[in-house]
């Protein structure tokens, strides 16, 4: 080791830097920077892509100080449960300070990827005007901006390659943001505006597509009609990723016939999505493209019934990723199982949110998929019911799961056949799937399932729990057993102070812990915060009139704690108390 | 909220035998009630919401809906809420109704009815026939006609087996079969 060390020290820094160039994963680069001071120094000055999983774990100043040559920044804001309305509005996660700081310090930002952050039009305008080489903006589940902000991006980012808006809440001002792309803009490679609700200038869209010869990915919104889609496709045979707009037409019309012909020529399309508005009788137009598809997202297409779905899927033998609604039914999943032998990722979303008994999919569909698709490694499955026997079979058939998320529509439903808890089923999953990194469990569950998780889920990084367990033991099994745990989110479980305080050091090895509607008290949270200065322990008090110091025995409704290098944040709203 | 609930209760008591589309105001008030429910649900942090609409229609008693369960992103919920599967005309839940022997088909709006009783009475009135009473064992045995429907999977099912809410979302078209033909369906 000493010999190695001295040899390495003979190399000029440029050589080290060149070697580090081959390390693309931020985890590898983090590991490298821990080796010694000189490696830390070389690495930090050469790192161009920075990933920050919790925007409040550090701050913009530290980012810039450590990584002056950052070109691509990924930031995540709100906790995951914000997706399900559990985090109050105005909690935080503002991107503006980051953009402002980078602009002031002359950072050469080219890429910005944000998830669950609040993005104002002001931030977009500042972004657009401050970074002349800006190329790529990806916003996932963000909010706070309007189409005016998009207009600023379109107008000012001369070398824009990617504008990818996924599932954002955007205020559509019905302006002409798309027309703001100047005629000189020919660099677009990826454009996704599916989540926008308003009309776009279709003439401007057609011209934009015609002049961007490198456009590979185009996802339209529902306001773009079928005849425009057909014209666009004719101009862009090089597309590999298509999201349709409105897919409604008279199936006997010339438009539909033209579309089918164009689809035959679109040999490069590998990813298909859209169909929010759809006339299922027009679907055969896309069959020519299905043979080469590797990724298909029909989870926003409730207008396609089971029979038409399965007819479509029958053509998709190369499918690796499939996102659908549970309207496909168990029978339909059987068709998937027998057709899609290359399937790696499956997501089955609920079409009916009130659980009124629309028997959608059950354990049968899941078992069929596990038996038919040997390469399956990632699943999200919303189902009416489940059984231990089914889960045990699935575990045997598919030992390669990396992500396994099962969601029963009734949160505490027992095994549909035996009426027992689903502990054994999930136990089989964690025991068999040695590489499991992400797990979500549901149904009737006791402390036993957590014993299994703690014992077997050695690679587990993220765990989501709701309405499960009997006592603190459950949470303790997990905290003690899962050495690689990064994110733990718990709601409506009987876990309390004993579990929370048993191993306070553990939380510094994790990114975050969320607990809501559990048995944790204010006093315990305070104790934890006092013992661990490098954690922010946030407690949310909405609608509670508490004057002065609340009673330590008072149960806390929502608690979110995370490790941080920069202490309590300054932008927390009134109802968030950082203890 | 109370006012809107009272309107719904009154609607429950009225028998709807008229053709669909004649009672526009009530339909509008019930859809605005749905909106009210949703708004108040978003504001409530804990507790049940969105039980009003479904329970009033006679569906099996739904469990108290919990905030954030099932865990589906609001974006997805909002998008799909606006696009509940409807017939090709895109407004209301119009389905074709055919009757064996009748010269032409009719169309009715399933959303217009609150339960099977209302629907069957309306069909009897529309086609001047007797459909009779449903029983789980016998189906509509003993009556002249049996109402059947084509479901999402393309299968022909006997009307009345599943809860009303499930029926209206999965029914694609109706066919009133002659009793003699329907003999097989009733005794499964």
């Amino acid at each position: 080791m000493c010999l190695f060390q001295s040899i390495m020290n003979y190399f000029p820094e440029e050589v080290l830097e060149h070697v580090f160039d081959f390390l693309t994963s931020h985890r590898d680069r983090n590991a490298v920077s821990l080796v010694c001071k000189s490696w830390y120094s070389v690495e930090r000055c050469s790192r161009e892509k920075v990933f920050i999983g919790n925007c409040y774990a550090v701050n913009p100043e530290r980012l810039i100080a450590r990584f002056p040559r950052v070109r691509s920044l990924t930031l995540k804001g709100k906790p995951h449960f914000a997706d399900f309305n559990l985090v109050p509005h105005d909690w935080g996660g503002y991107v503006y300070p980051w953009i402002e700081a980078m602009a002031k310090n002359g950072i050469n930002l080219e890429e910005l990827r944000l998830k669950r952050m609040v993005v104002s039009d002001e931030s977009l305008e500042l972004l657009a005007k401050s970074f002349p080489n800006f190329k790529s903006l990806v916003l996932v589940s963000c909010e706070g901006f309007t189409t005016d902000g998009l207009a600023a991006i379109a107008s000012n980012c001369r070398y824009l390659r990617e504008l990818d808006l996924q599932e954002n809440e955007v205020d559509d001002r019905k302006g002409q943001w798309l027309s703001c792309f100047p005629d000189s803009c020919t660099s677009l490679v990826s454009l996704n505006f599916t989540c926008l609700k308003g009309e776009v200038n279709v003439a401007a869209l057609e011209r934009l597509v015609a002049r961007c010869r490198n456009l590979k990915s185009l996802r339209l919104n529902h306001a773009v009609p079928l005849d425009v889609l057909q014209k666009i496709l004719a101009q862009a045979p090089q597309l590999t990723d298509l999201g349709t707009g409105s897919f409604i037409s008279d199936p006997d019309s010339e438009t539909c016939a033209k579309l089918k012909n164009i689809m035959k020529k679109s040999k490069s399309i590998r990813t298909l999505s859209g169909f929010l508005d759809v006339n299922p009788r027009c679907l055969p137009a896309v069959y020519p493209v299905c043979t080469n598809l590797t990724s298909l997202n029909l989870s926003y297409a409730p207008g396609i019934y089971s029979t038409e779905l399965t007819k479509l899927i029958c053509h998709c033998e190369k499918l690796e990723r499939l996102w659908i609604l549970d309207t496909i039914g168990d029978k339909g999943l059987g068709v998937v199982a027998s057709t899609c032998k290359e399937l790696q990722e499956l997501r089955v979303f609920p079409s009916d949110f009130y659980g009124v008994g629309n028997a959608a999919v059950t354990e049968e569909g899941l078992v069929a998929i596990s038996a038919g698709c040997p390469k399956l490694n990632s699943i999200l499955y919303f189902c009416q019911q489940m059984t231990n026997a089914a889960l045990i079979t699935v575990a045997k058939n598919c030992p390669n799961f990396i992500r396994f998320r099962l969601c029963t529509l009734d949160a505490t439903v027992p095994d549909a056949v035996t009426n027992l808890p689903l502990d054994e089923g999930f136990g089989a999953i964690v025991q068999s799937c040695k590489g499991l990194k992400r797990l979500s469990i549901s149904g009737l569950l006791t402390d036993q399932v957590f014993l299994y998780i703690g014992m077997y889920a050695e690679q587990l990084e993220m765990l989501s729990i709701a309405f499960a367990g009997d006592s603190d033991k459950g949470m303790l099994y997990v905290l003690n057993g899962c050495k690689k745990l990064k994110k733990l989110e718990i709601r409506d479980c009987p876990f309390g102070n004993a579990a929370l305080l048993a191993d306070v050091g553990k939380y510094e090895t994790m990114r975050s812990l969320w607990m809501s509607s559990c048995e944790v008290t204010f006093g315990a949270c305070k104790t934890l915060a006092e013992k661990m200065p490098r954690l922010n322990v946030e407690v949310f008090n909405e609608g509670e009139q508490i004057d002065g110091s609340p009673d330590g025995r008072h149960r806390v409704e929502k608690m979110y704690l995370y490790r941080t290098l920069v202490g309590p944040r300054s932008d927390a709203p009134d109802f968030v108390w950082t203890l | 909220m109370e006012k809107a609930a009272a309107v719904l209760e009154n609607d429950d008591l009225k028998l709807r035998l008229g053709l669909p589309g004649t009672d526009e105001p009530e339909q509008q008030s019930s859809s605005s009630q749905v909106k009210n429910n949703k708004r108040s649900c978003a504001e409530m942090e804990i507790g049940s919401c969105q039980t009003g609409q479904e329970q009033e229609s006679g569906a099996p008693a739904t469990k108290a809906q919990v905030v954030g369960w099932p865990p589906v992103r609001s974006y997805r919920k909002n998008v799909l809420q606006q696009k509940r599967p409807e017939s090709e005309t895109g407004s209301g839940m119009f389905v074709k109704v055919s009757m064996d022997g009748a010269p032409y088909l009719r169309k009715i709006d399933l959303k217009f009815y609150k339960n099977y009783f209302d629907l069957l009475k309306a069909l009897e009135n529309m086609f001047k026939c007797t459909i009779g009473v449903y029983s789980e064992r016998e189906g509509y045995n003993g009556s002249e006609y049996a109402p059947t429907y084509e479901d999402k999977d393309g299968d022909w099912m006997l009307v009345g087996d599943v809860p009303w809410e499930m029926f209206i979302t999965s029914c694609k078209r109706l066919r009133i079969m002659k009793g003699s033909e329907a003999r097989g369906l009733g005794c499964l």
Side-chain angles (χ1 to χ4, degrees), chain A residues 228-249:
Chain A
V228 173
L229 172 66
Q230 174 257 310
K231 283 190 225 154
I232 286 176
L233 282 177
Q235 296 275 14
Q238 76 284 2
L239 276 184
T240 60
D241 176 345
L242 174 67
T244 69
S246 160
F247 210 79
I248 294 184
S249 176

Side-chain angles (χ1 to χ4, degrees), chain A residues 83-85 115 141 167 169 195 276-277 299-300 302 305-307 327 331 349-350 353-354 356-358 382 407-411 466-467 491 542 558, chain B residues 38 45-46 50 54 59 62-63 65-81 83 85-86 88 152-153 155 165-166 169 172:
Chain A
D83 283 351
F84 318 128
N85 294 336
K115 187 167 187 180
S141 293
E167 304 198 346
E169 297 292 346
C195 62
L276 180 57
D277 290 315
S299 66
Y300 286 107
Y305 291 141
S306 177
T307 31
T327 45
K331 261 202 292 178
F349 292 96
F353 306 114
Y354 308 116
V356 238
N358 240 339
F382 284 83
C407 182
T408 53
L409 294 175
D410 173 350
F467 303 97
R491 62 165 293 186
E542 316 138 71
K558 291 176 185 169
Chain B
K38 291 198 177 92
E45 287 305 318
I46 307 160
Q50 292 167 338
E54 277 68 46
T62 49
K63 295 124 200 145
Q65 301 301 316
V66 182
V67 169
W69 197 270
V72 174
R73 276 190 188 162
S74 338
Y75 173 84
R76 173 174 289 279
K77 272 199 182 144
N78 293 338
V79 166
L80 291 182
Q81 227 86 286
K83 295 281 166 216
E86 284 156 11
E88 283 172 26
K152 281 185 195 171
D153 297 328
D155 297 318
E165 283 297 334
M166 195 195 295
T169 55
K172 278 169 73 176

